[in-house]
Amino acid sequence: MKLWEDKVKKTKSYISKEYLNEKNILKLDENENPYPPSPEVKKVIEQFDKDTLKRYPNTDAIELKSVLARHYGIDASQIFVGNGSDEVMLLAFMSYFNSDKPVLFPDISYSLYKVWCSFFNIPYEALPLKNDMRINIKDYYKKNGGIVFPNPNTITGIGEEREFIEEIIEHNKDVIVIIDETCAGFGGYSAIDLLGKYDNIVIVNTFSKSRSLAGLRIGTALAGKHAIDILESVKNSYNPYNLNSISMVSATASVKDEKYFRETTDKIVRTRENSIKLFREIGFEICPSKSNFIFLTHPKASAKDLYEKLKDENIFVKYFNLPRIDNYIRITIGTDEEMNILIKAVKKFI
Ligand SMILES: *Cc1c(COP(=O)(O)O)cnc(C)c1O
């Protein structure tokens, strides 16, 4: 081994590459939206003046922020935009979590929280969820360097209500509490109504799931003006040009088309409820989901075997080979037709 290799960061990729070259697969593992983006998005991309690509994008994202501000009923100065929620979240960790006390998050949650903490040498504690897969709220009353949790939970789909979220914030007013709402948008509570009340909460959101724009990489953070200014200045210190111009106009068009957003997310919620019913009929136990996926286990079947069997049929679902959840699979809600194909394959196995 060369000397320099002792000092490099060694990491592993989050994304499994096993299906990247395959066509005709049913991909239900990454919580993508089965429906295309709004026709308004397609229109602005078609009409986009390509000659303007020689210019840097508008660094303030003024139009997108003002449309978002109107949509959420907040001020444009309370909005940060970035390349996907993954980037926004990484920036938030870098900007807000600099204490020698540990950052707290649930053990069963987004796997990259740990990765970002390690990158920035942030001490952390992954606190076990209770047996019902819910947060044990008293764990979050101790001294800490910040809090982050997904709502709905990115693995189980379980979403908490206002009272619960507010209780965590009330006990942690001198640190930043990041509420990861990347899996929100399919019914369920969003803490946006708490932004006026607390200046230490940061809500991270994405256009990848409920708005069908995973390919354009658009994420947002919503917070008080002061917290957003900090995020902006950290970002601008090393990369002032961020969201590209095509993503910006597309995101703007998507937010303006509220009707399409409602229609497609409502459809997914209906398919979700119907799928839950069908899986229950064949003996599965399912966490109550507020997102576009379900997390389930079967008392008499091996989740790992089911995952492998489905893979053999070119159906990809998510299996986490982790303690406590190694007999569960997570299934993204597709179209009704896709779910029928899946359920047929699952029935064959069960
Ligand atoms: C999809 C997803 C992401 C990635 O979101 P991007 O905005 O596409 O970067 C992050 N966290 C969770 C929990 C997700 O499900």
Side-chain angles (χ1 to χ4, degrees):
M1 201 194 300
K2 303 229 172 53
L3 206 52
W4 64 266
E5 286 187 83
D6 285 343
K7 299 286 176 210
V8 295
K9 289 213 157 159
K10 297 202 178 64
T11 60
K12 358 187 248 285
S13 172
Y14 170 73
I15 306 278
S16 118
K17 298 279 190 292
E18 52 197 345
Y19 49 64
L20 285 185
N21 299 319
E22 298 216 30
K23 288 207 168 68
N24 298 321
I25 61 164
L26 181 48
K27 196 166 169 308
L28 301 172
D29 58 344
E30 282 196 294
N31 301 345
E32 290 151 314
N33 197 310
Y35 301 107
S38 152
E40 297 300 316
V41 171
K42 294 186 210 173
K43 210 188 293 170
V44 294
I45 293 176
E46 270 154 31
Q47 293 168 353
F48 186 81
D49 178 0
K50 283 86 182 166
D51 288 352
T52 63
L53 287 175
K54 69 183 178 186
R55 299 288 178 207
Y56 283 109
N58 173 335
T59 47
D60 303 328
I62 293 171
E63 211 202 336
L64 173 56
K65 284 185 185 176
S66 70
V67 167
L68 280 168
R70 218 173 313 137
H71 177 74
Y72 291 128
I74 58 178
D75 195 82
S77 64
Q78 294 179 276
I79 302 169
F80 175 89
V81 298
N83 289 285
S85 63
D86 280 339
E87 185 192 64
V88 174
M89 196 76 88
L90 173 139
L91 267 162
F93 272 55
M94 200 175 7
S95 310
Y96 304 128
F97 295 162
N98 292 294
S99 161
D100 50 11
K101 298 195 187 68
V103 164
L104 309 179
F105 51 80
D107 63 339
I108 297 168
S109 65
Y110 195 37
S111 60
L112 296 192
Y113 298 162
K114 279 183 193 168
V115 175
W116 294 321
C117 282
S118 310
F119 259 145
F120 301 124
N121 297 317
I122 303 166
Y124 66 86
E125 242 180 272
L127 302 163
L129 292 182
K130 295 184 294 184
N131 285 338
D132 63 358
M133 300 277 187
R134 288 182 188 265
I135 288 174
N136 189 357
I137 202 158
K138 298 208 168 55
D139 288 348
Y140 293 79
Y141 294 173
K142 63 175 139 188
K143 281 263 167 271
N144 63 73
I147 287 176
V148 56
F149 63 92
N151 194 48
N153 186 293
T154 58
I155 293 183
T156 66
I158 294 174
E160 297 295 352
E161 298 298 319
R162 176 184 173 133
E163 202 182 333
F164 185 93
I165 306 290
E166 212 172 349
E167 193 156 341
I168 293 185
I169 304 165
E170 280 290 338
H171 281 87
N172 291 283
K173 283 185 169 166
D174 14 316
V175 293
I176 290 283
V177 178
I178 300 178
I179 306 166
D180 176 353
E181 292 191 2
T182 46
C183 293
F186 301 93
Y189 172 71
S190 163
I192 289 168
D193 66 328
L194 296 177
L195 283 174
K197 195 167 170 189
Y198 301 98
D199 58 9
N200 65 319
I201 61 170
V202 177
I203 298 170
V204 176
N205 243 310
T206 183
F207 280 60
S208 299
K209 314 286 166 64
S210 56
R211 294 192 178 275
S212 313
L213 289 174
L216 285 184
R217 316 302 306 124
I218 306 155
T220 60
L222 313 175
K225 180 179 183 315
H226 182 54
I228 291 296
D229 284 348
I230 290 168
L231 211 50
E232 292 281 3
S233 78
V234 170
K235 186 205 79 178
N236 292 337
S237 68
Y238 76 93
N239 180 11
Y241 300 107
N242 206 317
L243 207 53
N244 72 69
S245 27
I246 294 176
S247 293
M248 254 187 295
V249 293
S250 307
T252 306
S254 166
V255 179
K256 283 183 177 165
D257 193 355
E258 180 68 10
K259 184 164 168 280
Y260 183 84
F261 174 76
R262 292 247 168 263
E263 276 167 16
T264 46
T265 51
D266 284 353
K267 244 194 304 197
I268 289 169
V269 170
R270 276 199 301 275
T271 307
R272 177 187 77 203
E273 294 310 308
N274 193 42
S275 305
I276 289 177
K277 217 173 76 208
L278 296 174
F279 277 110
R280 285 218 172 105
E281 279 169 16
I282 50 175
F284 279 91
E285 290 161 14
I286 307 163
C287 291
S289 173
K290 289 277 197 304
S291 195
N292 66 332
F293 58 86
I294 49 177
F295 193 57
L296 59 176
T297 185
H298 198 291
K300 296 201 194 88
S302 148
K304 187 158 195 294
D305 290 350
L306 174 58
Y307 159 78
E308 297 287 350
K309 276 277 181 317
L310 291 173
K311 200 163 72 172
D312 292 343
E313 308 216 5
N314 276 334
I315 300 173
F316 288 82
V317 298
K318 186 86 181 172
Y319 174 69
F320 301 90
N321 202 356
L322 294 172
R324 294 181 71 197
I325 53 170
D326 57 0
N327 204 34
Y328 281 80
I329 52 172
R330 189 186 68 188
I331 299 171
T332 305
I333 302 299
T335 61
D336 286 324
E337 297 77 58
E338 288 173 336
M339 297 315 276
N340 285 340
I341 296 170
L342 168 75
I343 294 210
K344 225 165 158 187
V346 172
K347 274 184 179 160
K348 218 163 57 180
F349 171 78
I350 296 291

